Amino acid sequence: MSGRWGIVAGEGGGAELVPLGADGLPAGEARRESDLVEAVRRRPDVERWVWRSTPALYPRLLAAGVRVERCYDVEAAELLLLGHAGRLGEPRSAAAALARLRDAPVPPDPPPRAAEPGTQDSLFEPRSGGADVSLTELVEVYADQQRRHGATDRPGRMRLLTASESAGMLVAAEMNASGLPWRADVHRDLLHDLLGERYAGGGEPRRLAELADEVSAAFGHRVRPDLAADVVKAFARAGVRVRSTRRWELEKVDHPAVKPLIEYKKLYRIWTAHGWSWLQAWVHEGRFRPGFTPGGSVSGRWTTNGGGALQIPKVIRRAVVADPGWRLVVADADQMEPRVLAAISRDRGLMEVAGSADDLYARLSDRAFSGDREHAKIALLGAVYGQTSGDGLKNLAALRRRFPAAVAYVDDAAKAGEEGRLVRTWLGRTSPPAAGAGEDDEAGIPQEEPDGSASGDGEFTPGYASTNARARGRFTRNFVVQGSAADWALLMLAALRRAMSEGGMRAELVFFQHDEVIVHCPAEEAAAVAAAVREAGDLAGRITFGETPVRFPFTTAVVECYADAK
């Protein structure tokens, strides 16, 4: 009964399933069972379940206490395969894949559903789009996807990417079910200390109202500090020209309104993003469940369906507290993107730097920047993000002399983007195609700050790629590194999940963002979890990039409160 089995949810909680061969075609008779959960529970030795969508099916199993080791997510695979073919943005549902295969009208994907705060039942309802397909149709799509994987330029890597993306779907569903431990009482106390009392009617809390009065007094007339246009206009009346109300620009201004304005903006963000309304909506029964979505951005980085989980201010992290007798193992991958650049470029010098020291930037500074660690860091990140102002060109020239293959790798990616060509991550995730003629904006492309760093999260909106060649080149330069880092992170999560399962641990993965993972575990398991994280990082490096000297170390903290980890 081992091997791969295709499964679809039937009516009334039932299921249809069939064993599958290596070619994706049926290897036995299809079966109907009255209970989906029991159909899976009775087959613990199935190596991999093939189903339409993990978010549509796996939460039902988790709610019944059933976990699976591996799956193949047809809709996740379709998204990757469409991207590889330069067709990112086309409908990715199983029904759409079937229609394309049969040369029939392709149904659109329904709009994405946001997580439903305060409704725990929503955790166990389908969250991915697309109509259900029959078992026969699912197998037809799956077999076609196996052929398409084989037709890619690097089939082995593409299959590994699909497997890791499917594993990430399992991890995300399990994290959504477990939830991040959250102390609502601690959160309320923090809000009171920071913001003061709340006024009736939902207006600004006391501290914000006081700061707003200070800002207005500094200008000599009433100013709405929550309205950027109002603030810029007020500065102009005072003879001060500012283009925005960003902190880095305000800090250059000598005016009595600056200090209360910066404080107001910081507290206003907390009030609107993680205030009392957020707490009431998102935290229930001691858990925060934002709805993690693997591959939610085109680079492969995860997103969430709501709740701002990936932007929790440090002060609010004091509310993330482990259960009594448990701990949070918080692990940060050290200098992940430069290490990834070393691995994908195969630059001998940079691989040596990334393999011989925990602090890559310190070692780099000794090699090329006269011991100036901060200068080395800015230079290397500038090469990845395409810094072209300030000392960017000088830094890039120094890096090119020392690490020619690494700089050439990102330069080639930038050139491909400028020419409208596709670029791929190490495993084969593909950048979105350039938009058609007529686009003249730069939607989704990170813009440079005055210091040459990229603003925003560095992501790119498919379907809105700018025809501005230079801007697209900056994106593709970053994409090949950031996306390959996301490839590695998926395999790290899969390895960590498997290690905890095989070790019989009660530990749970509860949080992940880009280069940070949090595991909630009994105190006595914390040391074993920390070791498993380190081993998972090394294993993921070998599986993703092959045997290289590059190391992928973690800075790990075992704490009761998330805020104490950094």
Side-chain angles (χ1 to χ4, degrees), residues 178-191 270 273-276 278-280 282-290 292 307-323 328 510-511 518 520 560 562-563:
S178 297
L180 183 65
W182 202 284
R183 287 278 300 274
D185 58 332
V186 172
H187 192 146
R188 281 190 289 267
D189 289 343
L190 286 169
L191 293 176
I270 291 173
H274 292 94
W276 292 277
W278 180 94
L279 181 61
Q280 183 177 8
W282 288 101
V283 178
H284 296 274
E285 298 178 357
R287 294 293 185 270
F288 168 41
R289 298 179 173 90
F292 288 94
L310 305 185
Q311 295 179 332
I312 304 173
K314 184 170 183 178
V315 65
I316 298 299
R317 293 176 187 178
R318 299 223 65 85
V320 182
V321 180
D323 292 343
L328 299 173
V510 293
F511 184 82
I518 300 179
H520 188 221
E560 293 185 52
Y562 183 19

Side-chain angles (χ1 to χ4, degrees), residues 56 64 124 140 173 185 188 194 198 242 321 467 476 493 514 529:
F124 307 109
E140 186 177 348
D185 58 332
R188 281 190 289 267
L194 290 169
R198 288 186 290 174
V242 295
V321 180
T467 54
T476 51
L493 288 173
H514 183 43
V529 169

Side-chain angles (χ1 to χ4, degrees), residues 288-302:
F288 168 41
R289 298 179 173 90
F292 288 94
T293 304
S297 65
V298 295
S299 71
R301 279 187 175 184
W302 287 27

Side-chain angles (χ1 to χ4, degrees), residues 113-329:
R113 289 179 54 188
E116 301 174 23
T119 307
Q120 295 303 296
D121 289 344
S122 68
L123 295 171
F124 307 109
E125 295 175 358
R127 283 189 182 172
S128 73
D132 280 318
V133 293
S134 70
L135 180 61
T136 299
E137 292 169 337
L138 179 78
V139 171
E140 186 177 348
V141 170
Y142 174 64
D144 179 62
Q145 288 183 344
Q146 298 312 293
R147 292 190 293 271
R148 290 158 65 194
H149 275 91
T152 60
D153 51 356
R154 296 181 182 271
R157 291 188 189 180
M158 194 65 190
R159 291 190 180 101
L160 178 58
L161 176 63
T162 299
S164 62
E165 190 87 333
S166 294
M169 292 288 182
L170 294 176
V171 171
E174 290 165 4
M175 285 169 47
N176 292 335
S178 297
L180 183 65
W182 202 284
R183 287 278 300 274
D185 58 332
V186 172
H187 192 146
R188 281 190 289 267
D189 289 343
L190 286 169
L191 293 176
H192 184 273
D193 292 343
L194 290 169
L195 302 173
E197 299 82 8
R198 288 186 290 174
Y199 296 132
E204 291 182 341
R206 175 180 55 79
R207 182 58 184 148
L208 282 179
E210 292 172 350
L211 288 168
D213 288 342
E214 290 182 35
V215 170
S216 295
F219 282 117
H221 57 89
R222 191 65 186 168
V223 175
R224 288 278 303 275
D226 57 321
L227 299 179
D230 211 19
V231 173
V232 171
K233 183 178 179 181
F235 273 118
R237 287 181 58 181
V240 179
R241 183 178 181 275
V242 295
R243 294 180 300 174
S244 73
T245 59
R246 291 180 178 178
R247 179 169 182 163
W248 62 263
E249 186 168 1
L250 292 178
E251 288 177 337
K252 298 177 182 177
V253 175
D254 182 13
H255 191 280
V258 169
K259 183 177 179 181
L261 181 59
I262 289 176
E263 181 69 10
Y264 178 94
K265 286 167 60 65
K266 180 180 73 174
L267 295 181
Y268 184 83
R269 174 64 180 169
I270 291 173
W271 177 52
T272 56
H274 292 94
W276 292 277
S277 297
W278 180 94
L279 181 61
Q280 183 177 8
W282 288 101
V283 178
H284 296 274
E285 298 178 357
R287 294 293 185 270
F288 168 41
R289 298 179 173 90
F292 288 94
T293 304
S297 65
V298 295
S299 71
R301 279 187 175 184
W302 287 27
T303 60
T304 63
N305 284 328
L310 305 185
Q311 295 179 332
I312 304 173
K314 184 170 183 178
V315 65
I316 298 299
R317 293 176 187 178
R318 299 223 65 85
V320 182
V321 180
D323 292 343
W326 287 53
R327 297 292 185 269
L328 299 173
V329 179

